[in-house]
């Protein structure tokens, strides 16, 4: 009788997962946003009833997250497609050829690389930079056009996600308790998993998200002030790169400083270099530690790999999903090492 019940229960659970699977990414993202904004909801809950506090918090999420996306996605789509066309039609290659002819960059680089028996050619440099520009432009254009081409669908899913978040705020504790009661793990281990999920959600959205938004906005404004092309696009790219440790915004800002130096805009080049050092130092050693603290203890290389792998598998949302998957695995590893590693599973004397 027990096995029959467990079989029926497992089949019903699989069917439920099948029904919810088309919305799973929305549910997970709603859970991440709910977890990150939980302090705001609790603060509102001290002054308002649960429904008004949840509605007010959802309104803040709408103003802070969804409306800026809708406003910027049109400009981002156009600029990303322009970058893709430049890479596709060899416009970038022509610009690089002109730059190489005006400077001795290849000669200087080859002199530095000669002890390693490495030699760069103009064609190799052109091909590499053109392909990078084309791929970056195509990736961002596909992500932006997915929203711009079907704005009704985006608004529907945004409303759907806000509705889920609204009820997560109100009924979240009961939902968590429901899963705690179902879980075969001890309560302290279940709560450790929940706490790690909450900490990682806060680190991603509040720590990295706010830091990326600030750096991206400042970077885009700086590009516009100095007359560089596609300020919205590069602002978005800088925001994304702010999530990635090791590389960070330097992937965009340092090459930009080098490019400006090579075209004899030394003052602008120096400004971009100082801008990178100041923003990187202020965010990495000032803002992020204050927002995140030491709740998320994950190796920098592991965070980097999780984000890059998440981007490959899930697209833009991989910035969130990748670290979450790794955080859950590391937490389970910690639970195993603490509670189960020394348990005797197989005893040859029996």
């Amino acid at each position: 009788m027990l096995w029959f019940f467990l079989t029926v229960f497992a089949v019903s659970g699989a069917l439920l997962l099948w029904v919810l699977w088309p919305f799973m990414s929305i549910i997970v993202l709603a859970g991440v946003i709910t977890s990150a904004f939980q302090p705001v909801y609790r603060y509102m809950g001290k002054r308002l009833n649960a429904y008004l506090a949840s509605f007010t918090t959802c309104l803040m999420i709408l103003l802070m997250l969804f409306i800026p996306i809708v406003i910027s996605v049109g400009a981002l789509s156009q600029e990303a497609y322009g970058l893709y066309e430049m890479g596709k039609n060899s416009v970038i290659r022509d610009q690089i050829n002109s730059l190489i002819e005006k400077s001795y960059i290849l000669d200087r680089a080859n002199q530095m690389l000669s002890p390693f028996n490495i030699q760069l050619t103009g064609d190799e440099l052109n091909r590499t930079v053109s392909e990078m520009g084309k791929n970056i432009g195509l990736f961002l254009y596909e992500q932006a056009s997915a929203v711009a081409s079907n704005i009704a669908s985006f608004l529907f899913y945004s409303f759907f996600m806000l509705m889920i978040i609204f009820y997560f705020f109100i009924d979240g504790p009961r939902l968590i308790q429901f899963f705690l009661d179902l879980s075969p793990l001890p309560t302290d281990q279940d709560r450790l998993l929940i706490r790690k999920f909450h900490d990682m959600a806060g680190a991603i959205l509040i720590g990295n998200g706010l830091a990326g938004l600030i750096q991206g906005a400042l970077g885009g404004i700086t590009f516009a002030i100095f007359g560089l092309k596609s300020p919205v696009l590069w602002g978005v790219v800088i925001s994304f790169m702010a999530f990635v440790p090791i590389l960070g915004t330097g992937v965009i800002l340092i090459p930009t400083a080098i490019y400006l130096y090579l075209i004899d805009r030394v003052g602008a080049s120096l400004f971009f270099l100082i801008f990178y050092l100041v923003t990187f130092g202020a965010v990495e050693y000032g803002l992020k530690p204050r927002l995140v603290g030491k709740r998320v203890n994950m190796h920098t290389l592991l965070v980097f790999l999780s984000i890059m792998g998440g981007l490959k598998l899930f697209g833009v949302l991989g910035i969130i999903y990748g670290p979450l998957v790794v955080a859950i695995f590391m937490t389970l590893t910690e639970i195993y090492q603490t509670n189960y590693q020394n348990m005797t599973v197989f005893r040859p004397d029996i």
Side-chain angles (χ1 to χ4, degrees), residues 79-318:
E79 292 188 3
Y81 187 74
L83 179 63
Y84 168 72
E85 285 293 315
M86 288 175 63
K88 181 180 177 181
N89 297 328
S90 301
V91 176
I92 297 178
R93 185 172 299 183
D94 294 338
Q95 292 178 349
I96 295 174
N97 277 331
S98 175
L99 182 61
I100 291 173
E101 291 173 359
K102 293 179 181 179
S103 64
Y104 299 98
I105 180 173
L106 277 182
D107 293 336
R108 297 171 187 169
N110 285 326
Q111 288 177 3
M112 296 174 61
L113 295 173
S114 59
F116 306 100
N117 294 323
I118 298 175
Q119 187 173 11
L120 296 175
T121 64
D123 289 338
E124 291 176 344
L125 185 62
N126 273 323
R127 187 164 50 250
T128 301
V129 176
S130 296
E131 283 297 316
M132 287 178 60
K134 184 171 69 173
N135 291 334
I136 291 173
L138 181 60
F139 174 77
L140 291 176
Y141 174 72
E142 289 175 345
Q143 302 299 321
S145 61
V147 177
S149 63
N150 198 349
I151 195 69
S153 177
F154 175 78
L155 292 175
F156 168 76
Y157 282 111
S158 298
F159 172 79
F160 187 35
M161 183 182 298
L162 284 172
M163 183 178 67
I164 296 173
I165 293 170
F166 176 82
Y167 285 105
F168 273 0
F169 280 131
I170 297 171
D171 298 317
R174 283 189 291 176
L175 183 63
I176 292 173
Q177 189 59 50
F178 171 76
F179 285 114
L180 289 177
D181 294 338
L182 282 181
S183 174
L185 292 175
T187 302
D188 61 327
Q189 296 176 17
D190 286 327
R191 293 200 176 277
L192 177 61
L193 283 169
I194 294 171
R195 188 173 72 250
K196 288 293 185 180
F197 179 89
H198 174 77
D199 290 344
M200 182 56 71
I204 293 171
L205 286 184
I206 304 301
N208 289 345
L210 183 59
L213 181 64
I214 293 172
Q215 292 181 86
L218 292 176
I221 292 171
T222 304
F223 268 70
I225 290 174
F226 284 93
L228 298 175
K229 294 181 179 180
S230 306
V232 175
L233 182 145
W234 292 116
V236 172
V237 174
I238 290 171
S239 295
F240 283 140
M241 294 310 301
F243 279 78
V244 183
I246 302 175
L247 300 177
T249 58
V251 173
I252 305 300
L253 296 177
I254 292 177
T256 302
I258 295 173
Y259 168 76
L260 290 170
Y261 175 78
L262 292 173
I263 62 173
D264 296 326
R265 297 182 62 180
V266 180
S269 173
L270 184 61
F271 181 88
F272 267 85
L273 188 59
I274 295 173
F275 173 77
Y276 164 66
L277 294 175
V278 170
T279 55
F280 178 81
V283 168
E284 293 297 326
Y285 300 103
L287 181 62
K288 282 186 181 180
R290 288 179 177 274
L291 293 175
V292 179
K294 297 181 179 180
R295 294 176 297 170
V296 181
N297 187 18
M298 190 183 299
H299 195 278
T300 304
L301 180 60
L302 192 57
V303 176
F304 171 77
L305 293 174
S306 69
I307 291 175
M308 301 307 292
L311 286 170
K312 182 70 174 178
L313 290 175
F314 306 109
V316 173
L317 291 179

